Amino acid sequence: MGRKNNPGTRLEKLETEYPGCCWILYRATEEIQLWFKRKGLPCLVRGVSYPSSNLPYLDTHWEVLASHAAGYLYQKGHRRIALCIPDSKLRGNKLMEQGFLSFQGGHWTPCVIRMPSDAIRAAQELNRIYLENTGITALISTRSRMLISIISWAAAMAKNIPGEISLLSLVHEPYLNHVTPPITSYRAPAEKTTRRLIRMIEALLAHRRISNSLILPELYPGHSISTPSCP
């Protein structure tokens, strides 16, 4: 869906040209969700709905996942960890940030890096953080394409993974099976997620009560995390 602040006109045209019995809203802004809410169109959010729209949703439990990732790296000896999130206002990003910052531990020094979508600007932002001498020893990537930007940046800066910087991904894509070193990542059960989505659509169309669903992916260790010599 588009991300304009006033998407009503475009959505009216879309709904007229492609009427559907059920809409699935993916990465939809609050304005888009509210438009569907006001129209009363059958829909559910593949993501997290805003409290203002209160639409039924299916998503990853980002808040718990980000907190778990912080704790996992902390147990490995990392104390200065950065969460790399997209520079956008989507609610899922806010939940990841809240979960990450909620972790507590001695000498725990969290950092949030808001990554531009452009790869060059993303590399510049990573360089800026390092020039500030933050002492960060681990990065958490929250999006698939962001992970590519981080890996490319590390290669350009001759920073060895995991020797100089550890890397953990909250998402997993098939291409990661071909990345060296293998990236430690969380993997959502695709079949289970699909079944839940189908059940929610069926309930929505049958006008039955729908319960929101949160998926908690499992951690698959790779070889992209090391123990820092001076935590």
Side-chain angles (χ1 to χ4, degrees):
M1 301 301 298
R3 298 190 182 185
K4 300 291 185 181
N5 290 331
N6 297 300
T9 302
R10 297 176 64 191
L11 290 171
E12 289 278 6
K13 181 180 179 181
L14 180 66
E15 198 275 330
T16 300
E17 294 179 353
Y18 303 98
C21 58
C22 180
W23 290 84
I24 299 177
L25 310 183
Y26 180 62
R27 293 189 181 179
T29 62
E30 185 174 15
E31 291 78 13
I32 291 175
Q33 291 186 19
L34 286 172
W35 185 87
F36 278 88
K37 180 74 171 183
R38 288 193 297 267
K39 288 290 183 176
L41 296 173
C43 66
L44 59 88
V45 178
R46 182 61 180 92
V48 183
S49 68
Y50 291 85
S52 57
S53 69
N54 195 33
L55 294 173
Y57 65 85
L58 168 67
D59 197 20
T60 299
H61 204 325
W62 293 118
E63 192 168 3
V64 169
L65 196 64
S67 177
H68 184 275
Y72 179 79
L73 288 169
Y74 187 88
Q75 291 177 352
K76 294 291 185 180
H78 296 274
R79 297 297 179 265
R80 297 179 182 272
I81 304 168
L83 177 74
C84 300
I85 62 173
D87 188 15
S88 75
K89 297 181 180 179
L90 292 179
R91 188 161 182 251
N93 297 332
K94 181 175 287 292
L95 291 173
M96 281 187 278
E97 183 175 350
Q98 290 175 353
F100 174 70
L101 296 176
S102 71
F103 178 79
Q104 297 182 358
H107 304 290
W108 162 242
T109 308
C111 173
V112 175
I113 303 177
R114 305 188 190 285
M115 298 275 283
S117 57
D118 178 80
I120 294 177
R121 292 175 55 218
Q124 291 172 343
E125 182 64 12
L126 288 168
N127 282 334
R128 183 186 68 80
I129 296 296
Y130 265 84
L131 287 174
E132 291 179 353
N133 192 28
T134 56
I136 292 171
T137 60
L139 299 173
I140 300 175
S141 173
T142 59
R143 290 289 182 264
S144 175
R145 67 179 182 182
M146 182 185 298
L147 185 63
I148 292 295
S149 295
I150 294 172
I151 293 173
S152 299
W153 166 79
M157 298 296 292
K159 290 189 174 295
N160 177 267
I161 298 174
E164 296 177 81
I165 187 76
S166 290
L167 181 57
L168 185 152
S169 177
L170 297 189
V171 296
H172 180 83
E173 296 291 346
Y175 75 80
L176 288 180
N177 297 328
H178 308 284
V179 171
T180 302
I183 306 298
T184 297
S185 62
Y186 291 87
R187 303 184 187 184
E191 184 177 343
K192 181 179 180 181
T193 302
T194 302
R195 287 201 305 268
R196 286 194 187 183
L197 184 62
I198 292 174
R199 286 199 299 268
M200 291 179 72
I201 293 174
E202 291 174 340
L204 183 66
L205 296 179
H207 304 288
R208 299 197 304 268
R209 182 179 179 275
I210 303 176
S211 297
N212 298 326
S213 184
L214 290 170
I215 303 293
L216 195 58
E218 296 182 7
L219 180 66
Y220 283 75
H223 300 289
S224 61
I225 296 175
S226 62
T227 301
S229 55
C230 297

